[in-house]
Amino acid sequence: MAHILVPTDFSKNAYNALFYATRLYPNEECIITLVHSFENLFSTNTSRIDIGRNEQLYDELERAAFDKLDTLKHEITLDSEGISLVIDMVTSAQPLYKIVNKLIINTNIDVVVMGTKGSSGIREVFLGSQTVKLIKKIKPVPVPVFVVPQSATFQAPTKVAYATDLKIDYAQYPLEIIKEVIRTHKSKLYITHIYNQMSPGQTVETNYRKLKHKLEDVSYTTHWLSSITKMEDALGLFINEHDINLLVLMYHKSGLLKKLFNKSFVDKLSFHSEIPLLILPESF
């Protein structure tokens, strides 16, 4: 039974992410934990003098949040007829990442699914939004994060591209979430390595062998994309040519993603703002 955590601020893009989450594991019962933080409302209206008023305010905000979560629960249940779901609700005035960390530790969360706001949201994802902050602070048990654009209409992730710089020692990294997606949706997996040298290099070839070993029980094709100047052009062209509907990236501080996470790449990716992302944390 998969356990999915879905943060929500009750916006349309958050609901779109929730809808996507309900379709990730269509063949098994899922637990979905809806999470809402009213940190901003509470901190803005808190009195430093009247402690009693603060407690009353907390209770009021908590009740209001639970009412909204309950409405959201009924709405997604109606939109998910025939899908076996168990929906839990959690709300708190703590920062979102603290709530998420506690739930990951205490309730065995498998994945997090978050929404983002179209092309501008995509830019925020790569340049330091709440999504990236959450990814950085998911500790001590990092989990994969699906990022679903507001403009995305649900498509089963049947064509999955994993863009990698192959600078990671894959012997240390489990890739079960990718394999689960492939098996569940009978997806095609495209391993894409973009390099700007005449040849990939020994380290890349060694890590590629380790990656192949990790993926030996699923089918995939490998694509070596040479791009001397603009890596984002090569990846964008690949996404178009193969009708990719899920892009997998590993979040880490150096290598391919550091080069890709710039304005040029983000502007290019904005044209693909309907494509959900699966981000594997750096220490995953």
Side-chain angles (χ1 to χ4, degrees), residues 10-257:
F10 308 111
S11 63
K12 289 183 179 179
N13 53 296
Y15 188 82
N16 204 36
L18 174 58
F19 187 88
Y20 191 92
T22 63
R23 271 67 181 171
L24 274 177
Y25 299 94
N27 303 320
E28 62 179 282
E29 185 177 47
C30 291
I31 300 173
I32 291 183
T33 297
L34 297 172
V35 179
H36 175 70
S37 170
F38 53 89
E39 176 193 12
N40 291 339
L41 277 175
F42 185 65
S43 60
T44 301
N45 294 284
T46 296
S47 169
R48 296 183 179 180
I49 301 174
D50 190 346
I51 303 301
R53 169 57 186 158
N54 292 345
E55 293 176 353
Q56 180 183 353
L57 175 64
Y58 186 97
D59 290 342
E60 291 172 356
L61 292 174
E62 185 180 50
R63 281 196 302 272
F66 270 123
D67 286 344
K68 288 183 178 181
L69 286 170
D70 194 53
T71 299
L72 183 60
K73 175 181 176 179
H74 286 293
E75 185 176 356
I76 194 61
T77 300
L78 290 173
D79 281 345
S80 304
E81 186 176 356
I83 298 175
S84 183
L85 299 174
V86 176
I87 300 178
D88 297 329
M89 302 178 294
V90 176
T91 187
S92 171
Q94 288 187 316
L96 180 61
Y97 76 89
K98 288 189 176 181
I99 306 173
V100 170
N101 280 340
K102 285 184 179 179
L103 288 169
I104 288 173
I105 294 169
N106 296 327
T107 61
N108 297 317
I109 299 296
D110 295 305
V111 297
V112 175
V113 180
M114 297 186 70
T116 190
K117 298 178 181 178
S119 59
S120 62
I122 290 291
R123 179 174 289 109
E124 290 170 1
V125 166
F126 289 106
L127 300 182
S129 73
Q130 290 298 319
T131 305
V132 162
K133 289 177 184 177
L134 183 61
I135 292 168
K136 288 180 178 179
K137 292 183 177 182
I138 291 180
K139 299 175 181 179
V141 185
V143 299
V145 179
F146 285 86
V147 181
V148 183
Q150 181 178 2
S151 58
T153 55
F154 179 77
Q155 284 185 301
T158 55
K159 294 187 176 182
V160 180
Y162 175 31
T164 173
D165 54 16
L166 290 173
K167 292 184 178 180
I168 300 165
D169 183 353
Y170 280 98
Q172 304 176 33
Y173 288 89
L175 297 175
E176 289 306 313
I177 183 61
I178 296 178
K179 293 192 278 188
E180 286 176 8
V181 170
I182 299 303
R183 292 172 183 140
T184 299
H185 299 279
K186 298 180 173 58
S187 313
K188 292 182 179 179
L189 175 61
Y190 304 81
I191 303 298
T192 59
H193 172 65
I194 307 171
Y195 62 96
N196 57 1
Q197 305 175 57
M198 294 302 293
S199 62
Q202 186 61 44
T203 300
V204 165
E205 292 176 356
T206 299
N207 289 334
Y208 177 57
R209 286 195 296 271
K210 294 178 180 180
L211 176 60
K212 287 196 295 182
H213 179 70
K214 284 286 183 179
L215 297 174
E216 62 184 1
D217 52 345
V218 296
S219 298
Y220 61 90
T221 57
T222 304
H223 304 264
W224 301 80
L225 309 179
S226 176
S227 179
I228 296 175
T229 54
K230 294 185 178 180
M231 296 182 181
E232 66 272 15
D233 289 339
L235 184 55
L237 183 62
F238 186 87
I239 289 172
N240 275 337
E241 288 181 345
H242 295 274
D243 295 322
I244 300 301
N245 47 33
L246 178 65
L247 177 61
V248 183
L249 303 168
M250 183 170 284
Y251 183 87
H252 58 104
K253 297 175 183 177
S254 60
L256 172 65
L257 297 193

